[in-house]
Amino acid sequence: MAFGAQELRVLRRALALALHPTPASAEDVQDCLRLAESVDEAAREGARLRAFLLADLARYRAALPGTAAGYLVLLEEALGSGYRPDPDDLAALRALSGNPTAAALLDRCRALAEQDVRTRLAGLSVTPTVPASRTRLTALPGGLAATSASEEPVKKPAGDPAAEPRPQSPVRSPRPDRPIPTPGEVFPPKRKPAPPPANPPQQLAAG
């Protein structure tokens, strides 16, 4: 992607506004919008061209070995645009090992494939860490520590007799000024019943 002189002027002005924010004129705003639309359109066009190139590369690869010359040209062009070879490309280049151009491209594709594998392995071995700026949030007012301290403890639902503690009955201590009762006071002896009178009163006959 190449910029013209006018586009470079607009880009320089946009960068200056980003680094040193100042009021921008309406003309500068319109120029920046037009430049952004042009860049978006160029990106979309590049994506379409890349899709066409990869589609042609797949067709030429499927028609090997008769299309070896065109396939090698397309593969080299795709690699220059950032394309990463897949296993089908490596297999096709091995089949064309007698061609010097194919042999050179095979070495290049092998190096790219090994680089991709090392990059993936390095990404898996990296342990994610919390940025230092985030760890400081616990010490800031209103951070995690303040939130945890402000939280009220969980209250047990009312009405659950098992959850509520039962009041303990007070233990009565013996009065030191009161004497200890004797067994005779606690269990008094039973009194013997009185004997019946010798001459019971006679009942009066009914008149």
Side-chain angles (χ1 to χ4, degrees):
M1 183 182 298
F3 292 101
Q6 180 66 16
E7 293 172 339
L8 288 176
R9 184 190 67 80
V10 176
L11 182 59
R12 188 181 300 111
R13 177 59 177 160
L15 291 176
L17 291 173
L19 294 175
H20 305 285
T22 56
S25 62
E27 182 180 359
D28 289 338
V29 173
Q30 293 298 325
D31 291 342
C32 291
L33 291 177
R34 282 193 292 269
L35 178 61
E37 292 176 357
S38 300
V39 171
D40 292 342
E41 180 60 29
R44 288 191 293 268
E45 184 64 21
R48 286 193 293 267
L49 291 176
R50 179 182 175 84
F52 288 140
L53 175 61
L54 296 181
D56 287 342
L57 180 65
R59 284 194 294 268
Y60 274 77
R61 185 176 58 224
L64 288 174
T67 57
Y71 169 72
L72 295 176
V73 172
L74 290 174
L75 180 59
E76 188 172 5
E77 183 179 354
L79 293 176
S81 65
Y83 170 72
R84 294 298 189 183
D86 56 16
D88 292 338
D89 293 317
L90 296 176
L93 292 174
R94 292 191 191 97
L96 300 173
S97 57
N99 189 317
T101 304
L105 284 176
L106 179 58
D107 293 339
R108 183 179 175 184
C109 290
R110 282 175 177 171
L112 292 174
E114 292 176 358
Q115 182 180 358
D116 291 344
V117 171
R118 287 195 297 269
T119 302
R120 287 196 295 269
L121 292 178
L124 293 176
S125 62
V126 174
T127 303
T129 57
V130 179
S133 59
R134 294 188 180 181
T135 57
R136 292 181 58 194
L137 291 178
T138 56
L140 295 177
L144 182 59
T147 304
S148 300
S150 63
E151 292 180 354
E152 295 182 357
V154 179
K155 297 181 178 179
K156 297 181 179 180
D160 188 0
E164 297 179 358
R166 296 182 178 179
Q168 298 181 356
S169 58
V171 179
R172 297 181 179 178
S173 58
R175 295 177 56 184
D177 57 344
R178 183 177 181 182
I180 299 175
T182 62
E185 294 176 353
V186 176
F187 305 102
K190 297 182 179 181
R191 296 180 179 180
K192 297 180 179 181
N199 297 319
Q202 296 181 357
Q203 296 180 358
L204 298 176

